Amino acid sequence: MAFGSISNSLKKTRESVFSKISRLVTAKNKIDEDVLDQIEEILIAGDIGVDTSMFILDKIREQVKKERYDSAQELNRIIHASIAEILSTPTFKMPENKPYVVLVVGVNGTGKTTSIAKLAHFYKSNHKKVILAAADTFRAAAIEQLCLWGERINCDVIRHQANADPAAVVFDAVSAAISRSVDVLIIDTAGRLHTKVNLMSELEKIKKVISRQVTEAPHEVILVLDAGNGQNALSQAREFIKTSGVDSIFLTKLDGTAKGGIVLSIQRELGIPVRYLGVGEKKEDFAIFDAEEFAKALFEGI
Ligand code: GDP
Ligand code: MG
């Protein structure tokens, strides 16, 4: 994806966090404890998280002590470098297993179904054969929504009726993926939080059904988080990590929020890579996360 789109969707985050810090330092023209306190406040208000903000502040302190810091530009360089350090993740590789089974989990409304369509579209654009599984059988509308996306991106959807056993849908989908020689199978799941215990045991059951047919699968469990939920997204993540295991994170709705700093918290405090970004409602509004590009976009024009 073009750098421009990431940059655009981080505009609010940039303005509410990094431009503010830059203006503050330019106005004060030195970094003392008072300025550091104010930087800390801005970082925390920007959903970067206490722990992660402390890490960045320590880096600034270290550097200021060492180099007698004296310009806003220099400060930006230090912050940029510590952010790049936090964000560094292994580069994305196209999957080699076939079928590559992806299980997508997350709370309702975070953007699971839309993100699945984006990911499927991405793989298809890279010449992969993709099918989808409608294992969110809790509401008929959820199945219809995935099927509609399937038509739009020209991708088959394995479905049963509403209220069917999700594990049965998954069983059929994995069988279809094998017999049709599919490269990537992406499974949509329900995410109703109020019956959390059931949801988590349902996910367990789904995972068992998958691994019985394809050893080592699911190859990737993607947790979808809404960036706009800020620090709450982190508590959701902890819940899913504890009970269903999470390999990577798809962070959605970066376009509508000033809370893009949450990427830093997720990466540093959870230790799970943010691999995919959602930056709008269309199938193209998607990016594979790139640490350098992201860090650059946070400081663009500052
Ligand atoms: P699910 O309940 O987790 O499956 O979520 P949906 O895929 O149904 O998405 C919920 C709403 O979020 C829909 O209106 C989507 O269009 C919207 N949405 C999903 N991803 C993004 C995104 O990256 N940016 C924006 N602005 N909206 C998104
Ligand atoms: Mg859905």
Side-chain angles (χ1 to χ4, degrees):
M1 179 193 242
F3 172 59
S5 336
I6 293 284
S7 174
N8 278 344
S9 50
L10 287 177
K11 194 162 171 251
K12 286 186 186 158
T13 303
R14 191 160 56 233
E15 280 166 3
S16 73
V17 182
F18 299 98
S19 298
K20 249 194 218 161
I21 293 177
S22 206
R23 277 199 302 273
L24 168 73
V25 176
T26 310
K28 298 274 179 156
N29 215 15
K30 66 168 189 230
I31 298 196
D32 52 20
E33 275 306 315
D34 179 46
V35 171
L36 284 171
D37 280 349
Q38 292 184 54
I39 294 177
E40 181 184 346
E41 261 173 46
I42 298 171
L43 288 173
I44 291 173
D47 268 272
I48 283 159
V50 176
D51 183 78
T52 311
S53 299
M54 290 305 170
F55 174 82
I56 296 175
L57 282 171
D58 284 347
K59 291 274 172 186
I60 299 174
R61 277 202 188 91
E62 235 171 67
Q63 205 70 17
V64 171
K65 236 188 259 160
K66 224 171 26 197
E67 287 181 17
R68 295 252 140 248
Y69 146 92
D70 60 350
S71 73
Q73 224 174 0
E74 177 60 10
L75 179 83
N76 278 344
R77 194 194 58 72
I78 299 168
I79 300 181
H80 188 146
S82 47
I83 286 177
E85 187 182 327
I86 294 170
L87 292 182
S88 68
T89 42
T91 23
F92 176 85
K93 278 203 214 86
M94 278 292 159
E96 281 163 12
N97 305 66
K98 183 175 172 168
Y100 186 72
V101 182
V102 181
L103 184 65
V104 180
V105 302
V107 172
N108 273 349
T110 51
K112 277 189 305 297
T113 306
T114 311
S115 301
I116 286 167
K118 290 173 181 177
L119 193 60
H121 176 67
F122 165 78
Y123 277 128
K124 281 185 62 104
S125 315
N126 283 280
H127 315 293
K128 298 285 182 192
K129 186 171 176 188
V130 185
I131 62 171
L132 308 177
D136 179 358
T137 56
F138 195 60
R139 293 170 306 132
I143 302 173
E144 293 311 324
Q145 190 194 358
L146 190 69
C147 290
L148 193 65
W149 271 116
E151 279 167 29
R152 279 190 207 142
I153 60 172
N154 193 17
C155 195
D156 283 348
V157 179
I158 307 300
R159 60 174 294 181
H160 287 189
Q161 307 217 319
N163 296 317
D165 179 5
V169 180
V170 169
F171 181 86
D172 282 356
V174 177
S175 309
I178 296 168
S179 66
R180 297 185 201 175
S181 208
V182 157
D183 294 305
V184 184
L185 163 64
I186 310 178
I187 302 165
D188 195 7
T189 62
R192 51 197 188 281
L193 255 196
H194 55 280
T195 51
K196 209 155 51 188
V197 177
N198 288 343
L199 170 66
M200 295 305 177
S201 55
E202 189 172 288
L203 289 175
E204 268 317 298
K205 191 172 157 198
I206 288 175
K207 281 174 81 172
K208 260 188 216 138
V209 165
I210 298 171
S211 64
R212 256 188 237 129
Q213 284 167 288
V214 180
T215 7
E216 289 179 31
H219 301 93
E220 186 173 356
V221 177
I222 300 179
L223 171 64
V224 177
L225 296 175
D226 178 341
N229 285 336
Q231 292 294 314
N232 284 337
L234 249 75
S235 2
Q236 282 175 18
R238 291 203 173 91
E239 199 65 39
F240 277 95
I241 291 165
K242 210 166 48 192
T243 47
S244 59
V246 173
D247 299 303
S248 55
I249 284 165
F250 194 132
L251 191 65
T252 63
K253 310 190 197 183
L254 266 179
D255 50 307
T257 181
K259 298 181 174 182
I262 192 71
V263 171
L264 296 164
S265 281
I266 293 173
Q267 211 109 316
R268 194 178 144 71
E269 292 173 38
L270 302 178
I272 293 180
V274 173
R275 281 209 180 281
Y276 317 96
L277 303 176
V279 294
E281 297 188 272
K282 297 193 298 292
K283 64 179 190 295
E284 300 85 8
D285 297 331
F286 166 81
I288 296 287
F289 182 81
D290 178 285
E292 193 42 48
E293 181 186 15
F294 195 88
K296 242 192 228 153
L298 284 176
F299 287 92
E300 207 197 29
I302 296 176

